[in-house]
Each structure stands twice: as C-alpha cells, then as structure tokens.
Coordinates of all heavy atoms in Angstrom, one line a residue:
G1 N 0.8 -1.2 0.0 CA 0.0 0.0 0.0 C 0.9 1.3 0.0 O 2.1 1.2 -0.1
H2 N 0.2 2.4 0.2 CA 0.9 3.6 0.2 C 0.1 4.7 1.0 O -1.1 4.5 1.2 CB 1.1 4.2 -1.2 CG -0.2 4.4 -2.0 ND1 -0.9 3.4 -2.6 CD2 -0.9 5.5 -2.2 CE1 -1.9 3.9 -3.2 NE2 -2.0 5.2 -2.9
D3 N 0.8 5.7 1.5 CA 0.2 6.8 2.2 C -0.7 7.6 1.2 O -0.2 7.9 0.1 CB 1.2 7.7 2.9 CG 2.0 7.0 4.0 OD1 1.5 5.9 4.5 OD2 3.1 7.4 4.3
L4 N -1.9 8.0 1.7 CA -2.7 8.9 0.9 C -2.5 10.4 1.4 O -2.4 11.3 0.7 CB -4.2 8.5 1.0 CG -4.5 7.1 0.5 CD1 -5.9 6.8 0.8 CD2 -4.3 7.1 -1.0
T5 N -2.5 10.5 2.8 CA -2.2 11.8 3.4 C -1.3 11.5 4.6 O -0.9 10.4 4.8 CB -3.5 12.5 3.9 OG1 -4.1 11.7 4.9 CG2 -4.5 12.6 2.7
L6 N -1.2 12.5 5.5 CA -0.4 12.3 6.7 C -1.0 11.3 7.6 O -0.4 10.7 8.4 CB -0.1 13.6 7.4 CG 0.9 14.5 6.7 CD1 0.9 15.9 7.5 CD2 2.3 13.9 6.7
V7 N -2.4 11.2 7.6 CA -3.1 10.3 8.5 C -3.9 9.2 7.9 O -4.6 8.5 8.6 CB -4.1 11.2 9.4 CG1 -3.3 12.2 10.3 CG2 -5.1 11.9 8.6
T8 N -3.7 9.0 6.6 CA -4.4 8.0 5.9 C -3.5 7.2 5.0 O -2.5 7.7 4.5 CB -5.6 8.5 5.0 OG1 -5.1 9.3 4.0 CG2 -6.6 9.2 5.8
E9 N -3.9 5.9 4.8 CA -3.1 5.0 3.9 C -4.0 4.0 3.2 O -5.1 3.7 3.7 CB -2.0 4.3 4.7 CG -2.5 3.2 5.6 CD -1.4 2.4 6.3 OE1 -0.3 2.2 5.6 OE2 -1.6 2.0 7.4
R10 N -3.6 3.6 2.1 CA -4.3 2.5 1.3 C -3.5 1.3 1.3 O -2.3 1.3 1.0 CB -4.6 3.0 -0.1 CG -5.3 2.0 -1.0 CD -5.8 2.6 -2.2 NE -6.9 3.5 -1.9 CZ -7.2 4.5 -2.7 NH1 -6.6 4.7 -3.8 NH2 -8.2 5.3 -2.3
V11 N -4.1 0.2 1.7 CA -3.5 -1.1 1.7 C -4.2 -2.1 0.8 O -5.4 -2.1 0.7 CB -3.5 -1.7 3.2 CG1 -2.9 -3.1 3.2 CG2 -2.9 -0.8 4.2
R12 N -3.4 -2.8 0.0 CA -3.9 -3.7 -1.0 C -3.6 -5.2 -0.5 O -2.4 -5.4 -0.2 CB -3.3 -3.5 -2.4 CG -4.0 -4.3 -3.5 CD -3.5 -3.8 -4.8 NE -4.2 -2.6 -5.2 CZ -4.0 -2.0 -6.4 NH1 -3.2 -2.4 -7.2 NH2 -4.7 -0.9 -6.7
V13 N -4.6 -6.0 -0.5 CA -4.4 -7.4 0.0 C -5.0 -8.4 -1.0 O -6.1 -8.2 -1.5 CB -5.2 -7.6 1.4 CG1 -5.0 -9.0 1.9 CG2 -4.7 -6.6 2.4
T14 N -4.2 -9.4 -1.3 CA -4.6 -10.5 -2.1 C -5.2 -11.6 -1.2 O -4.5 -12.1 -0.3 CB -3.5 -11.1 -3.0 OG1 -3.0 -10.0 -3.8 CG2 -4.0 -12.3 -3.8
F15 N -6.4 -12.1 -1.4 CA -7.0 -13.2 -0.7 C -7.0 -14.4 -1.5 O -7.3 -14.4 -2.7 CB -8.5 -12.8 -0.3 CG -8.6 -11.7 0.7 CD1 -8.5 -10.4 0.3 CD2 -8.6 -12.0 2.0 CE1 -8.6 -9.4 1.2 CE2 -8.7 -11.0 3.0 CZ -8.7 -9.7 2.6
E16 N -6.6 -15.5 -0.9 CA -6.5 -16.8 -1.6 C -7.4 -17.8 -0.8 O -7.2 -18.0 0.4 CB -5.1 -17.3 -1.7 CG -4.1 -16.4 -2.4 CD -2.7 -16.9 -2.5 OE1 -2.3 -17.6 -1.5 OE2 -2.0 -16.6 -3.5
C17 N -8.3 -18.4 -1.5 CA -9.3 -19.3 -0.9 C -9.2 -20.7 -1.5 O -9.5 -20.9 -2.7 CB -10.7 -18.7 -1.0 SG -10.8 -17.1 -0.4
W18 N -8.8 -21.7 -0.7 CA -8.6 -23.0 -1.2 C -9.8 -23.9 -0.9 O -10.5 -23.7 0.1 CB -7.4 -23.7 -0.5 CG -6.1 -23.3 -1.1 CD1 -5.4 -23.9 -2.1 CD2 -5.2 -22.2 -0.7 NE1 -4.2 -23.3 -2.3 CE2 -4.1 -22.2 -1.5 CE3 -5.4 -21.2 0.2 CZ2 -3.1 -21.3 -1.4 CZ3 -4.4 -20.2 0.4 CH2 -3.2 -20.3 -0.4
G19 N -10.0 -25.0 -1.6 CA -11.1 -25.9 -1.3 C -10.7 -27.3 -2.0 O -9.9 -27.4 -2.9
A20 N -11.4 -28.3 -1.5 CA -11.1 -29.7 -2.0 C -11.7 -29.8 -3.4 O -11.2 -30.5 -4.2 CB -11.8 -30.7 -1.1
T21 N -12.7 -29.0 -3.7 CA -13.3 -28.9 -5.0 C -13.3 -27.5 -5.5 O -13.2 -26.5 -4.7 CB -14.7 -29.5 -5.1 OG1 -15.6 -28.6 -4.3 CG2 -14.8 -30.9 -4.5
R22 N -13.5 -27.3 -6.8 CA -13.6 -25.9 -7.4 C -14.8 -25.2 -6.7 O -14.7 -24.0 -6.4 CB -13.8 -26.0 -8.9 CG -13.9 -24.7 -9.6 CD -14.1 -24.9 -11.1 NE -14.4 -23.6 -11.7 CZ -13.6 -22.9 -12.5 NH1 -12.4 -23.3 -12.7 NH2 -14.0 -21.8 -13.0
A23 N -15.9 -25.9 -6.5 CA -17.1 -25.3 -6.0 C -16.9 -24.8 -4.5 O -17.3 -23.7 -4.1 CB -18.3 -26.2 -6.0
Q24 N -16.2 -25.6 -3.7 CA -15.8 -25.3 -2.4 C -14.9 -24.0 -2.3 O -15.1 -23.1 -1.5 CB -15.2 -26.4 -1.6 CG -16.2 -27.5 -1.3 CD -15.5 -28.7 -0.6 OE1 -14.3 -28.9 -0.7 NE2 -16.3 -29.6 -0.1
A25 N -13.9 -24.0 -3.2 CA -13.0 -22.9 -3.2 C -13.8 -21.6 -3.6 O -13.6 -20.5 -3.0 CB -11.9 -23.1 -4.2
H26 N -14.7 -21.7 -4.6 CA -15.5 -20.6 -5.0 C -16.4 -20.1 -3.9 O -16.4 -18.9 -3.7 CB -16.3 -21.0 -6.3 CG -17.2 -19.9 -6.7 ND1 -18.5 -19.9 -6.3 CD2 -17.0 -18.9 -7.5 CE1 -19.1 -18.8 -6.8 NE2 -18.2 -18.2 -7.6
D27 N -17.1 -21.0 -3.2 CA -18.0 -20.6 -2.2 C -17.2 -19.9 -1.0 O -17.7 -18.9 -0.5 CB -18.7 -21.8 -1.6 CG -19.7 -22.4 -2.6 OD1 -20.0 -21.7 -3.7 OD2 -20.3 -23.5 -2.4
L28 N -16.0 -20.4 -0.7 CA -15.2 -19.8 0.3 C -14.8 -18.4 -0.1 O -14.8 -17.4 0.7 CB -14.0 -20.6 0.7 CG -13.1 -20.1 1.7 CD1 -13.8 -19.8 3.1 CD2 -11.9 -21.0 1.9
A29 N -14.4 -18.2 -1.4 CA -14.1 -16.9 -1.9 C -15.2 -15.9 -1.7 O -15.1 -14.8 -1.4 CB -13.6 -17.0 -3.3
Q30 N -16.4 -16.4 -2.1 CA -17.6 -15.5 -2.0 C -17.9 -15.1 -0.5 O -18.2 -14.0 -0.2 CB -18.8 -16.2 -2.6 CG -18.7 -16.4 -4.1 CD -18.7 -15.1 -4.9 OE1 -18.1 -14.1 -4.5 NE2 -19.3 -15.2 -6.1
Q31 N -17.8 -16.1 0.4 CA -18.0 -15.8 1.8 C -16.9 -14.8 2.3 O -17.2 -13.9 3.1 CB -17.9 -17.1 2.6 CG -19.1 -18.0 2.4 CD -18.8 -19.4 3.0 OE1 -17.8 -19.7 3.6 NE2 -19.7 -20.3 2.7
T32 N -15.7 -15.0 1.8 CA -14.6 -14.1 2.2 C -14.9 -12.7 1.7 O -14.6 -11.7 2.4 CB -13.3 -14.6 1.8 OG1 -13.1 -16.0 2.3 CG2 -12.1 -13.8 2.2
R33 N -15.3 -12.6 0.5 CA -15.7 -11.2 -0.1 C -16.7 -10.5 0.8 O -16.6 -9.3 1.1 CB -16.2 -11.4 -1.5 CG -15.1 -11.4 -2.5 CD -15.7 -11.5 -3.9 NE -16.8 -10.6 -4.2 CZ -17.3 -10.4 -5.4 NH1 -16.8 -11.1 -6.4 NH2 -18.3 -9.6 -5.6
T34 N -17.7 -11.3 1.2 CA -18.7 -10.7 2.1 C -18.1 -10.2 3.4 O -18.4 -9.1 3.8 CB -19.8 -11.7 2.4 OG1 -20.5 -12.1 1.1 CG2 -20.9 -11.1 3.3
A35 N -17.3 -11.0 4.0 CA -16.6 -10.6 5.2 C -15.7 -9.4 5.0 O -15.7 -8.5 5.9 CB -15.8 -11.8 5.8
V36 N -15.0 -9.3 3.9 CA -14.1 -8.2 3.6 C -15.0 -6.9 3.4 O -14.6 -5.9 4.0 CB -13.3 -8.4 2.3 CG1 -12.7 -7.2 1.8 CG2 -12.3 -9.5 2.6
R37 N -16.1 -7.0 2.7 CA -17.0 -5.8 2.6 C -17.5 -5.3 3.9 O -17.6 -4.1 4.1 CB -18.2 -6.1 1.7 CG -17.8 -6.2 0.2 CD -19.1 -6.2 -0.6 NE -18.8 -6.6 -1.9 CZ -19.1 -7.8 -2.5 NH1 -19.7 -8.7 -1.8 NH2 -18.8 -8.0 -3.8
D38 N -17.7 -6.2 4.9 CA -18.2 -5.8 6.2 C -17.2 -5.2 7.1 O -17.5 -4.8 8.2 CB -18.8 -7.1 6.9 CG -20.1 -7.5 6.2 OD1 -20.7 -6.8 5.4 OD2 -20.5 -8.7 6.5
M39 N -15.9 -5.1 6.6 CA -14.9 -4.5 7.4 C -14.9 -3.0 7.5 O -14.3 -2.4 8.3 CB -13.5 -5.0 7.0 CG -13.3 -6.5 7.2 SD -11.7 -7.0 6.7 CE -10.6 -6.2 7.8
R40 N -15.7 -2.4 6.6 CA -15.8 -0.9 6.6 C -16.4 -0.5 8.0 O -17.2 -1.1 8.6 CB -16.8 -0.4 5.5 CG -16.8 1.0 5.4 CD -17.5 1.4 4.1 NE -17.4 2.8 3.8 CZ -18.2 3.8 4.2 NH1 -19.3 3.4 4.9 NH2 -18.0 5.0 4.0
S41 N -15.8 0.6 8.5 CA -16.1 1.3 9.8 C -15.6 0.5 11.0 O -15.9 0.8 12.1 CB -17.6 1.5 9.9 OG -18.1 2.3 8.9
R42 N -14.8 -0.5 10.8 CA -14.1 -1.2 11.9 C -12.8 -0.6 12.3 O -12.1 0.0 11.4 CB -13.9 -2.7 11.6 CG -15.2 -3.4 11.4 CD -15.0 -4.9 11.4 NE -16.3 -5.5 11.1 CZ -16.6 -6.7 11.4 NH1 -15.7 -7.5 12.0 NH2 -17.8 -7.2 11.1
I43 N -12.4 -0.8 13.5 CA -11.1 -0.3 14.0 C -10.2 -1.5 14.0 O -10.5 -2.5 14.6 CB -11.2 0.3 15.4 CG1 -12.2 1.4 15.5 CG2 -9.8 0.7 15.9 CD1 -11.9 2.6 14.7
I44 N -9.0 -1.4 13.3 CA -8.1 -2.5 13.3 C -6.7 -1.9 13.7 O -6.2 -0.9 13.1 CB -8.0 -3.1 11.9 CG1 -9.3 -3.7 11.5 CG2 -6.8 -4.1 11.8 CD1 -9.4 -4.2 10.1
D45 N -6.1 -2.4 14.8 CA -4.9 -2.0 15.3 C -4.8 -0.4 15.5 O -3.9 0.2 15.1 CB -3.7 -2.4 14.4 CG -3.4 -3.9 14.5 OD1 -3.7 -4.5 15.5 OD2 -2.9 -4.4 13.5
G46 N -6.0 0.1 16.0 CA -6.0 1.5 16.2 C -6.3 2.4 15.1 O -6.3 3.6 15.2
S47 N -6.6 1.8 13.9 CA -6.9 2.6 12.7 C -8.3 2.3 12.2 O -8.7 1.1 12.2 CB -5.9 2.4 11.6 OG -4.6 2.9 12.0
L48 N -9.1 3.3 11.7 CA -10.4 3.1 11.2 C -10.3 2.7 9.7 O -9.7 3.4 8.9 CB -11.2 4.4 11.3 CG -12.5 4.5 10.6 CD1 -13.5 3.6 11.3 CD2 -13.1 5.9 10.6
V49 N -11.0 1.6 9.4 CA -11.2 1.3 8.0 C -12.4 2.1 7.4 O -13.5 1.9 7.8 CB -11.5 -0.2 7.8 CG1 -11.7 -0.6 6.3 CG2 -10.4 -1.1 8.4
Y50 N -12.1 3.1 6.6 CA -13.2 4.0 6.1 C -13.5 3.7 4.7 O -14.5 4.3 4.2 CB -12.8 5.5 6.3 CG -11.7 6.0 5.5 CD1 -12.0 6.6 4.3 CD2 -10.4 6.0 5.9 CE1 -11.0 7.2 3.5 CE2 -9.4 6.5 5.1 CZ -9.7 7.1 3.9 OH -8.7 7.6 3.1
R51 N -12.8 2.9 4.0 CA -13.2 2.5 2.6 C -12.7 1.1 2.3 O -11.6 0.7 2.7 CB -12.5 3.5 1.6 CG -12.8 3.1 0.2 CD -12.0 4.0 -0.8 NE -11.9 3.5 -2.1 CZ -10.9 2.7 -2.5 NH1 -9.9 2.3 -1.8 NH2 -10.9 2.3 -3.8
V52 N -13.6 0.3 1.7 CA -13.2 -1.0 1.3 C -13.6 -1.2 -0.2 O -14.7 -0.8 -0.5 CB -13.9 -2.1 2.1 CG1 -13.6 -3.5 1.6 CG2 -13.6 -2.0 3.6
A53 N -12.7 -1.6 -1.0 CA -13.0 -1.8 -2.4 C -12.5 -3.2 -2.9 O -11.4 -3.5 -2.7 CB -12.3 -0.7 -3.3
I54 N -13.4 -4.0 -3.4 CA -13.1 -5.2 -4.0 C -12.6 -4.9 -5.4 O -13.3 -4.3 -6.2 CB -14.2 -6.2 -4.0 CG1 -14.8 -6.4 -2.6 CG2 -13.8 -7.6 -4.6 CD1 -13.9 -7.1 -1.6
V55 N -11.4 -5.3 -5.8 CA -10.8 -5.1 -7.1 C -11.0 -6.3 -7.9 O -10.2 -7.2 -7.9 CB -9.3 -4.6 -7.0 CG1 -8.8 -4.3 -8.3 CG2 -9.2 -3.5 -6.0
G56 N -12.1 -6.4 -8.7 CA -12.3 -7.6 -9.5 C -13.0 -8.7 -8.7 O -13.1 -8.6 -7.5
R57 N -13.5 -9.6 -9.5 CA -14.2 -10.8 -8.9 C -13.2 -11.9 -8.6 O -12.1 -11.9 -9.1 CB -15.3 -11.2 -9.8 CG -14.8 -11.7 -11.1 CD -15.9 -12.2 -12.0 NE -15.4 -12.6 -13.3 CZ -14.9 -13.8 -13.5 NH1 -14.8 -14.7 -12.6 NH2 -14.5 -14.1 -14.7
P58 N -13.6 -12.8 -7.7 CA -12.7 -14.0 -7.5 C -12.5 -14.7 -8.8 O -13.4 -14.9 -9.6 CB -13.5 -14.9 -6.5 CG -14.4 -13.9 -5.8 CD -14.8 -12.9 -6.8
V59 N -11.2 -15.1 -9.1 CA -10.9 -15.9 -10.3 C -10.3 -17.2 -9.9 O -9.5 -17.3 -8.9 CB -10.0 -15.1 -11.2 CG1 -10.7 -13.8 -11.7 CG2 -8.7 -14.7 -10.5
P60 N -10.5 -18.3 -10.7 CA -9.9 -19.5 -10.4 C -8.4 -19.5 -10.7 O -8.0 -19.0 -11.7 CB -10.6 -20.5 -11.3 CG -11.2 -19.7 -12.4 CD -11.4 -18.3 -11.8
L61 N -7.6 -20.0 -9.7 CA -6.2 -20.0 -9.9 C -5.6 -21.3 -9.1 O -5.2 -21.1 -8.0 CB -5.5 -18.8 -9.4 CG -4.0 -18.6 -9.7 CD1 -3.7 -18.6 -11.2 CD2 -3.5 -17.3 -9.0
P62 N -5.8 -22.5 -9.7 CA -5.4 -23.7 -9.0 C -3.9 -23.6 -8.5 O -3.1 -23.0 -9.2 CB -5.6 -24.8 -10.0 CG -6.6 -24.3 -10.9 CD -6.3 -22.8 -11.0
D63 N -3.7 -24.1 -7.3 CA -2.3 -24.0 -6.7 C -1.4 -25.0 -7.5 O -1.7 -26.2 -7.5 CB -2.4 -24.4 -5.3 CG -1.1 -24.3 -4.5 OD1 0.0 -24.1 -5.2 OD2 -1.1 -24.4 -3.3
P64 N -0.4 -24.5 -8.2 CA 0.5 -25.4 -9.0 C 1.3 -26.4 -8.1 O 1.6 -27.5 -8.6 CB 1.4 -24.5 -9.8 CG 1.4 -23.2 -9.0 CD 0.0 -23.1 -8.3
A65 N 1.6 -26.0 -6.9 CA 2.4 -26.9 -6.0 C 1.6 -28.1 -5.5 O 2.1 -29.2 -5.5 CB 3.0 -26.1 -4.9
S66 N 0.3 -27.8 -5.1 CA -0.4 -28.9 -4.5 C -1.5 -29.4 -5.4 O -2.0 -30.5 -5.2 CB -1.1 -28.4 -3.2 OG -2.2 -27.4 -3.5
G67 N -1.8 -28.7 -6.5 CA -2.9 -29.1 -7.4 C -4.3 -28.8 -6.8 O -5.3 -29.1 -7.4
Q68 N -4.3 -28.2 -5.6 CA -5.6 -28.0 -4.9 C -6.3 -26.8 -5.6 O -5.7 -25.9 -6.1 CB -5.4 -27.7 -3.5 CG -6.6 -27.7 -2.6 CD -6.3 -27.6 -1.1 OE1 -5.2 -27.2 -0.7 NE2 -7.3 -27.9 -0.3
Q69 N -7.6 -26.8 -5.6 CA -8.4 -25.7 -6.2 C -8.3 -24.5 -5.3 O -8.2 -24.5 -4.1 CB -9.9 -26.1 -6.3 CG -10.1 -27.3 -7.2 CD -9.8 -26.9 -8.6 OE1 -10.1 -25.8 -9.1 NE2 -9.0 -27.8 -9.3
R70 N -8.2 -23.3 -6.0 CA -8.0 -22.0 -5.3 C -8.7 -20.9 -6.1 O -8.6 -20.9 -7.4 CB -6.5 -21.8 -5.1 CG -6.2 -20.4 -4.6 CD -4.7 -20.2 -4.4 NE -4.0 -20.3 -5.7 CZ -2.7 -20.1 -5.9 NH1 -2.0 -19.8 -4.9 NH2 -2.2 -20.1 -7.1
F71 N -9.3 -20.0 -5.4 CA -9.8 -18.8 -6.1 C -9.1 -17.6 -5.4 O -8.8 -17.7 -4.2 CB -11.3 -18.6 -5.9 CG -12.1 -19.3 -7.0 CD1 -12.2 -20.7 -7.0 CD2 -12.8 -18.6 -7.9 CE1 -12.9 -21.3 -8.0 CE2 -13.5 -19.2 -8.9 CZ -13.6 -20.6 -9.0
T72 N -8.8 -16.6 -6.1 CA -8.1 -15.4 -5.5 C -8.9 -14.1 -5.9 O -9.6 -14.1 -7.0 CB -6.7 -15.3 -6.0 OG1 -6.6 -14.9 -7.4 CG2 -5.9 -16.5 -5.8
F73 N -8.8 -13.1 -5.1 CA -9.3 -11.8 -5.4 C -8.5 -10.8 -4.6 O -7.8 -11.1 -3.7 CB -10.8 -11.7 -5.1 CG -11.2 -11.7 -3.7 CD1 -11.3 -10.5 -3.0 CD2 -11.4 -12.9 -3.1 CE1 -11.7 -10.5 -1.7 CE2 -11.8 -12.9 -1.7 CZ -12.0 -11.7 -1.0
L74 N -8.6 -9.5 -5.0 CA -7.8 -8.4 -4.5 C -8.8 -7.4 -3.8 O -9.9 -7.2 -4.4 CB -7.0 -7.7 -5.6 CG -6.0 -6.7 -5.2 CD1 -4.9 -7.3 -4.5 CD2 -5.5 -6.1 -6.5
A75 N -8.4 -6.9 -2.7 CA -9.2 -5.8 -2.0 C -8.3 -4.7 -1.6 O -7.1 -4.9 -1.3 CB -10.0 -6.4 -0.9
E76 N -8.8 -3.5 -1.6 CA -8.1 -2.3 -1.1 C -8.8 -1.8 0.2 O -10.1 -1.8 0.2 CB -8.1 -1.2 -2.1 CG -7.2 -1.5 -3.3 CD -7.2 -0.4 -4.3 OE1 -8.0 0.5 -4.2 OE2 -6.2 -0.4 -5.1
F77 N -8.1 -1.4 1.2 CA -8.6 -0.9 2.4 C -7.9 0.5 2.6 O -6.7 0.6 2.5 CB -8.2 -1.8 3.6 CG -8.7 -3.2 3.5 CD1 -8.0 -4.2 2.9 CD2 -10.0 -3.5 4.0 CE1 -8.4 -5.5 2.8 CE2 -10.4 -4.8 3.9 CZ -9.7 -5.8 3.3
D78 N -8.8 1.5 2.9 CA -8.3 2.8 3.3 C -8.4 2.9 4.8 O -9.5 2.7 5.3 CB -9.0 3.9 2.5 CG -8.6 4.0 1.1 OD1 -7.8 3.2 0.6 OD2 -9.2 4.9 0.4
F79 N -7.3 3.3 5.4 CA -7.3 3.4 6.9 C -7.0 4.9 7.2 O -6.3 5.6 6.6 CB -6.1 2.6 7.5 CG -6.3 1.1 7.4 CD1 -5.9 0.4 6.3 CD2 -6.9 0.5 8.5 CE1 -6.1 -1.0 6.3 CE2 -7.1 -0.9 8.5 CZ -6.7 -1.6 7.4
R80 N -7.6 5.3 8.3 CA -7.4 6.6 8.9 C -7.0 6.4 10.4 O -7.6 5.6 11.1 CB -8.7 7.5 8.9 CG -8.5 8.8 9.6 CD -9.8 9.6 9.5 NE -10.1 9.9 8.1 CZ -9.6 10.9 7.4 NH1 -8.6 11.6 7.8 NH2 -10.0 11.1 6.1
G81 N -6.0 7.1 10.8 CA -5.6 7.1 12.2 C -6.7 7.3 13.1 O -7.6 8.2 12.8
H82 N -6.8 6.7 14.2 CA -8.0 6.8 15.1 C -7.5 7.2 16.5 O -6.6 6.6 17.1 CB -8.7 5.4 15.2 CG -9.8 5.4 16.2 ND1 -11.0 6.0 15.9 CD2 -9.9 4.8 17.4 CE1 -11.8 5.8 16.9 NE2 -11.2 5.0 17.8
D83 N -8.1 8.2 17.1 CA -7.8 8.7 18.4 C -8.8 8.0 19.4 O -10.0 8.2 19.3 CB -8.0 10.2 18.5 CG -7.6 10.7 19.9 OD1 -7.2 9.9 20.7 OD2 -7.8 11.9 20.1
P84 N -8.3 7.1 20.2 CA -9.2 6.3 21.1 C -9.8 7.1 22.2 O -10.7 6.7 22.9 CB -8.2 5.2 21.6 CG -6.9 5.8 21.5 CD -6.9 6.7 20.3
A85 N -9.3 8.3 22.4 CA -9.9 9.2 23.5 C -11.2 9.8 23.2 O -11.7 9.8 22.2 CB -8.9 10.3 23.8

C-alpha cells in the first residue's frame, strides 16, 4: 500500500481461498468477499477502515504446487488514524 495523506493510507491485500473442489473454493471466496466488505467502519490496530473496495471478482487459480483448487481476489482498504480518547 501507500500513504494517501499524513493520517491515511491505502493497503492492498490478495485473498487466496482453497477448497477440496472448485465449488468449495469458489464458495469460500464468496464468503470471504462478504466478510471483507463488512470490514468498513471497523477499528483495526487503532486505525479506522473507512473505505473497502473489491478489485475484480474472484478468479480460479489452482495451486500449482499442491494441485488444490483455489480462487483469488484483491481488495483495497483505506485506513485513517484513530484517536481512542
């Protein structure tokens, strides 16, 4: 990620969701996307998540090392410093 201002930053995270079958990996990715969207307005390590953006939809990307089914997607989080007082 990178700083947006003196008190805000943008973080980009790749999520990888594995499953025994393609359908299981897909379903886990969709559940994870829902959880990621719900992170808006939460405080994490003293910083407020004020923006969440899913960058693209989950895409199949089987793990070449294990052969296991996997879906991946990218999300961006904008954080603002939070004063706990």
Side-chain angles (χ1 to χ4, degrees):
H2 62 278
D3 293 341
L4 298 171
T5 68
L6 287 175
V7 296
T8 62
E9 70 176 328
R10 178 166 293 155
V11 177
R12 189 173 278 184
V13 179
T14 300
F15 291 86
E16 299 180 331
C17 303
W18 281 268
T21 66
R22 181 181 169 106
Q24 287 176 346
H26 176 266
D27 291 350
L28 180 58
Q30 296 292 37
Q31 292 169 4
T32 304
R33 272 179 50 168
T34 298
V36 166
R37 282 191 193 109
D38 290 345
M39 291 179 68
R40 188 167 187 268
S41 299
R42 295 197 184 198
I43 304 294
I44 299 175
D45 290 334
S47 295
L48 171 69
V49 178
Y50 70 91
R51 176 185 164 272
V52 176
I54 305 294
V55 183
R57 62 181 180 79
V59 294
L61 187 64
D63 184 349
S66 69
Q68 193 171 16
Q69 294 298 312
R70 173 180 63 176
F71 274 71
T72 68
F73 69 94
L74 189 65
E76 289 181 345
F77 301 90
D78 287 359
F79 289 89
R80 175 178 299 282
H82 177 73
D83 182 5

